[in-house]
Amino acid sequence: MKRYARLALAAMLALPLAAQAHDVWLRPSSTVLSGTDGWITVDGVVSNDKFYINHAPLRLDNLVIVAPDGAKVEAQNAHRGKLRSTFDVQLTQPGTYRIAVVNDGVFARWKENGQAKRYFGAADGLDKAVPAQAQDLSITQSLGRVETFVTAGKPSPIAATGKGLELLAVSHPNDLYSDEPATFKMTVDGKPAAGLEVNIVPDGSRYRDQVGEIALKTDAQGQFEVKWPQPGLYWIEASAEDDLVTAPKASKRRMSYAGTLEVLRP
């Protein structure tokens, strides 16, 4: 199920690519700035390796940047290249910015004249994409969040959206140090996601014999604790499935989360 969720999310965020199980991530040039009125550049990538630009750009159609006061911020200088997307963000307020690409679409599979067909995209495109004579039609809602956090000055609280699979801060995501364990909470539609498998991978896996994955599971309150093996960037991933669909004609909902955090040296 985790592989399917990653496959569906990567395919929808990088269309018109062929659907394969790739990693998706946002990587900011800095996660903490000492003052306001600074700038960061963010890479958005669909890759074969965490934090390596080696496959395709992440689509930015559904990019949402939320300032510390809750206002939406427009990305600057957005560009989609062959291997990555980039954009700039000006941090004009003190506090924490939430930067995310949020996907809410459908994955449909069916047969047409004996041939297997599929559709990844927005729910309102189903009627045009799927013929009336479609056989063995299966429609799944795919809800995914790819995000990172950046703070100017002192960290501020991060408001939950209450939609889909979400990482909430018990330990602030921009106040992490390698000598201090951190606690986070996973929720589904704002409710604790108990018993959820969470996978965390440190940067640099390309140069290690082992990936170094940290496999954890949330408790009854949806919380989990991480003991960082070293400073650096970390990719955190989770997925879930239920039947609480909001997309018309869908019978199930698959949710995925992929976040980028930076752990600093004490």
Side-chain angles (χ1 to χ4, degrees):
M1 192 264 286
K2 280 184 174 293
R3 183 181 184 278
Y4 177 94
R6 286 169 56 192
L7 181 154
L9 178 62
M12 295 186 73
L13 292 175
L15 284 173
L17 297 173
Q20 300 181 38
H22 296 290
D23 298 324
V24 289
W25 43 269
L26 292 170
R27 182 179 63 188
S29 56
S30 298
T31 60
V32 178
L33 282 72
S34 59
T36 58
D37 202 25
W39 289 83
I40 61 164
T41 296
V42 182
D43 292 329
V45 180
V46 179
S47 71
N48 298 313
D49 302 289
K50 284 83 174 170
F51 305 124
Y52 292 98
I53 302 169
N54 56 14
H55 184 66
L58 183 69
R59 294 182 68 95
L60 302 178
D61 307 64
N62 299 318
L63 175 64
V64 179
I65 304 171
V66 181
D69 65 356
K72 298 293 179 62
V73 176
E74 290 294 325
Q76 304 294 320
N77 307 315
H79 172 72
R80 184 181 177 190
K82 292 292 186 179
L83 294 178
R84 66 176 173 182
S85 296
T86 61
F87 59 93
D88 297 329
V89 182
Q90 185 177 18
L91 311 182
T92 60
Q93 300 177 25
T96 301
Y97 288 72
R98 189 175 197 178
I99 303 170
V101 174
V102 183
N103 166 70
D104 188 357
V106 293
F107 172 43
R109 293 183 295 181
W110 71 95
K111 289 184 178 179
E112 186 177 344
N113 298 322
Q115 298 294 316
K117 302 288 184 178
R118 63 187 178 190
Y119 167 79
F120 288 100
D124 57 13
L126 270 174
D127 290 339
K128 183 178 180 180
V130 181
Q133 67 272 23
Q135 299 175 331
D136 302 328
L137 178 61
S138 172
I139 300 174
T140 300
Q141 182 178 8
S142 181
L143 181 60
R145 171 175 286 270
V146 183
E147 73 179 352
T148 191
F149 307 88
V150 177
T151 292
K154 184 179 179 180
S156 61
I158 302 166
T161 68
K163 183 178 181 181
L165 186 58
E166 200 170 6
L167 178 77
L168 301 183
V170 177
S171 299
H172 196 282
N174 291 139
D175 192 24
L176 306 175
Y177 296 90
S178 57
D179 65 339
E180 300 176 2
T183 302
F184 299 99
K185 183 176 183 177
M186 299 297 302
T187 62
V188 173
D189 297 337
K191 300 178 181 179
L196 186 72
E197 295 181 359
V198 178
N199 296 293
I200 302 172
V201 179
D203 190 12
S205 60
R206 187 176 183 176
Y207 304 109
R208 296 192 297 268
D209 291 334
Q210 302 295 327
V211 173
E213 181 180 73
I214 303 169
L216 302 170
K217 183 173 287 189
T218 60
D219 62 17
Q221 288 74 46
Q223 296 187 6
F224 63 95
E225 183 182 83
V226 188
K227 296 180 179 178
W228 313 107
Q230 70 265 334
L233 290 179
Y234 285 80
W235 186 77
I236 180 169
E237 177 264 342
S239 60
E241 179 180 333
D242 61 27
D243 58 1
L244 303 177
V245 298
T246 57
K249 302 179 182 178
S251 59
K252 65 179 69 174
R253 179 176 68 160
R254 286 194 168 110
M255 298 164 286
S256 59
Y257 178 88
T260 299
L261 304 178
E262 184 178 31
V263 176
L264 302 176
R265 190 181 303 279

